[in-house]
Amino acid sequence: MRARAVFELAIAQDDLDSPSLAWKAYVDFEIAEKERENARALYERLLDINPHAKVWISFALFEAGIDGGGDGGEGDIEKSREIFARADKHLKGEGFVLERVQLLNTWRDVEVEAGEKEKYNRKRKKERKKTILQFFLFSQAHHLSISS
């Protein structure tokens, strides 16, 4: 299909002002074409070059069928959970505390929408406390370094 070739050329450009917009348009195109496997493959490619929390969240929402990620289907909460878990592991490993808080909050919201709030709460209660403590310590250290 010609449109895919144009999108491939666009995302291959090194001098794009907003490469994320080209990737988003390409993913949205595949979703509109009901090509979930192609959209999934694009998300994986994008994560290889830009593992930002926003990309992880968008991918997980796509899998859940939320936030424009639906193609008329139900979504797959288990696939969404797998993406959230991968993202959590990555962000934790990189030490991205604020991004991880954003991810965990979004994950909670997806679980609530899926009717799995209690399961999520039990599983993540300990993790959230630890993340909040890390955020607090990070904020205090940052505040001390600014005021010094």
Side-chain angles (χ1 to χ4, degrees):
M1 181 179 258
R2 230 175 239 194
R4 286 188 181 93
V6 171
F7 280 120
E8 287 293 334
L9 287 172
I11 63 174
Q13 298 298 312
D14 292 331
D15 57 348
L16 281 179
D17 288 336
S18 298
S20 60
L21 293 178
W23 280 95
K24 173 95 172 90
Y26 195 0
V27 169
D28 288 347
F29 166 77
E30 294 294 0
I31 292 169
E33 292 293 310
K34 300 191 184 332
E35 295 288 347
R36 292 185 65 79
E37 286 301 319
N38 290 351
R40 196 171 283 121
L42 284 172
Y43 274 117
E44 293 291 355
R45 285 173 56 194
L46 181 55
L47 286 170
D48 285 341
I49 60 172
N50 182 16
H52 191 276
K54 288 181 181 180
V55 177
W56 285 109
I57 290 169
S58 181
F59 190 11
L61 292 175
F62 158 76
E63 290 295 4
I66 299 172
D67 197 34
D71 59 0
E74 291 293 311
D76 187 333
I77 192 65
E78 289 304 321
K79 284 185 181 178
S80 180
R81 286 178 181 137
E82 289 171 16
I83 300 303
F84 276 121
R86 284 176 49 204
D88 186 38
K89 182 178 179 181
H90 170 79
L91 295 174
K92 184 177 182 179
E94 295 294 320
F96 294 132
V97 177
L98 297 176
E99 292 85 352
R100 192 161 172 246
V101 169
Q102 180 185 14
L103 176 88
L104 293 174
N105 284 335
T106 305
W107 191 352
R108 179 202 58 225
D109 294 345
V110 168
E111 293 291 353
V112 168
E113 189 164 321
E116 300 285 336
K117 184 177 179 179
E118 290 306 314
K119 181 178 179 180
Y120 173 83
N121 284 341
R122 286 191 306 271
K123 187 175 182 181
R124 292 293 172 198
K125 187 175 183 179
K126 185 177 179 182
E127 280 290 319
R128 280 194 312 240
K129 284 181 181 178
K130 186 176 176 182
T131 302
I132 290 168
L133 177 61
Q134 288 173 338
F135 174 70
F136 176 75
L137 294 174
F138 171 81
S139 298
Q140 292 301 317
H142 182 69
H143 177 70
L144 291 174
S145 67
I146 290 174
S147 61
S148 300

